Amino acid sequence: MYVHKLSPEKIKALKEQIEGLSSQILLIAVSKRESAESIKIANEMGFKHFAESRLQEALTKQNSLKDLDLIWHFIGKLQTNKLKQILLNFSYIHSADSLEILIKLNQLTEELNLKTKNKILLQVKLAVDDNKTGFSETDLLNSLTIINELNNLNIIGLMTILPFGLSQAENYELFCKLKTLKEKINSKKLFNLNLTELSMGMSGDYPEAIKAGSTMLRLGRAIFLS
Ligand SMILES: *Cc1c(COP(=O)(O)O)cnc(C)c1O
């Protein structure tokens, strides 16, 4: 890991571009592979939300940054044996990708009895992609009744990662599909599933994600490689 020289001019231009496209969007700096020092610099430039995908790497950085007022998001593959540590150290979990994981999260949330519940997003796989996990649309819709009964969980929205190499039009279409899925779930009026968030958009596809209604962007390279 090395310290990137974040460029204040590029960050400013990025923020202005995003604000021009949407007035209400949470900008999350994906700091996986970045040093604690880079995170500190990004924080000085106004970033408060940071996302990590590996628990051990994240805990080391969180420990050296504990004096700063940062909000942590977990975006990596969830492993059952690490869920407790993830619940204890991250405010948001974007990558709940199976019923099994949700059931375990629900159980641990009850056991831990935290003052503030973690905010959970359901990861959805919208297109065939061997490298990515997530609920298929059908699986998710078929699981809603069970998910709704996991009432220790604070499920706030849906998250997706698109496959690489699609056109902008294809990206936009898939992001719109996630928004439609969110509306479909909300229309069922399940008491534990009133979703407000769409975590979609990375460095390569964020303009299309914003146009399709994203509420949370997860940007790594666009911030740290500027
Ligand atoms: C790495 C990563 C990102 C950020 O990707 P960039 O292309 O660097 O913006 C966003 N979301 C997830 C889940 C990631 O793993």
Side-chain angles (χ1 to χ4, degrees):
M1 279 187 277
Y2 40 89
V3 180
H4 286 300
K5 290 209 169 36
L6 282 85
S7 148
E9 293 76 28
K10 276 191 124 177
I11 300 280
K12 186 162 172 277
L14 175 71
K15 283 189 174 168
E16 281 172 4
Q17 183 204 9
I18 291 168
E19 278 157 19
L21 293 166
S22 165
S23 56
Q24 285 262 341
I25 201 152
L26 181 66
L27 201 46
I28 304 164
V30 177
S31 48
K32 64 180 189 209
R33 295 195 287 264
E34 298 297 331
S35 63
E37 186 57 25
S38 294
I39 295 174
K40 192 159 171 277
I41 295 168
N43 179 238
E44 282 159 9
M45 288 185 187
F47 291 98
K48 189 177 163 91
H49 289 257
F50 291 88
E52 292 280 337
S53 57
R54 285 155 173 249
L55 177 64
Q56 215 46 55
E57 181 187 325
L59 292 180
T60 308
K61 288 185 247 181
Q62 287 178 346
N63 189 48
S64 57
L65 294 164
K66 59 177 179 283
D67 294 337
L68 300 181
D69 182 23
L70 307 179
I71 298 170
W72 293 96
H73 297 244
F74 193 84
I75 58 172
K77 173 79 185 151
L78 295 171
Q79 290 167 304
T80 315
N81 61 340
K82 295 184 178 162
L83 292 180
K84 195 169 180 177
Q85 281 300 309
I86 291 170
L87 283 166
L88 287 169
N89 292 287
F90 292 83
S91 302
Y92 292 77
I93 300 173
H94 291 240
S95 42
D97 62 353
S98 71
L99 205 47
E100 187 197 350
I101 288 286
L102 286 172
I103 290 168
K104 190 84 187 147
L105 285 170
N106 187 58
Q107 194 186 325
L108 287 167
T109 299
E110 179 162 30
E111 279 171 38
L112 292 170
N113 196 21
L114 299 173
K115 246 184 283 163
T116 316
K117 277 191 187 176
N118 306 75
K119 297 184 172 77
I120 310 278
L121 293 97
L122 308 174
Q123 183 171 348
V124 181
K125 184 159 120 167
L126 295 167
V128 180
D129 184 346
D130 291 341
N131 298 314
K132 297 288 175 290
T133 59
F135 287 95
S136 72
E137 243 182 289
T138 320
D139 282 351
L140 182 55
L141 290 170
N142 289 337
S143 309
L144 289 181
T145 323
I146 302 172
I147 297 174
N148 189 45
E149 281 163 11
L150 303 174
N151 52 22
N152 298 310
L153 295 180
N154 180 19
I155 301 174
I156 62 165
L158 304 179
M159 178 274 224
T160 200
I161 307 170
L162 297 191
F164 291 113
L166 301 180
S167 69
Q168 291 187 351
E170 287 165 329
N171 288 342
Y172 176 71
E173 201 177 304
L174 287 176
F175 287 138
C176 287
K177 234 169 127 180
L178 195 71
K179 184 174 187 192
T180 307
L181 181 59
K182 182 189 99 172
E183 286 161 2
K184 194 165 177 179
I185 293 170
N186 286 343
S187 75
K188 297 187 186 293
K189 305 225 177 296
L190 299 165
F191 66 91
N192 204 21
L193 280 166
N194 181 21
L195 308 178
T196 55
E197 307 304 320
L198 287 171
S199 168
M200 56 188 198
M202 303 173 33
S203 299
D205 54 25
Y206 68 89
E208 297 97 83
I210 298 172
K211 280 181 209 137
S214 171
T215 66
M216 297 176 155
L217 294 181
R218 309 180 311 269
L219 301 182
R221 290 167 299 144
I223 292 169
F224 289 102
L225 299 185
S226 59

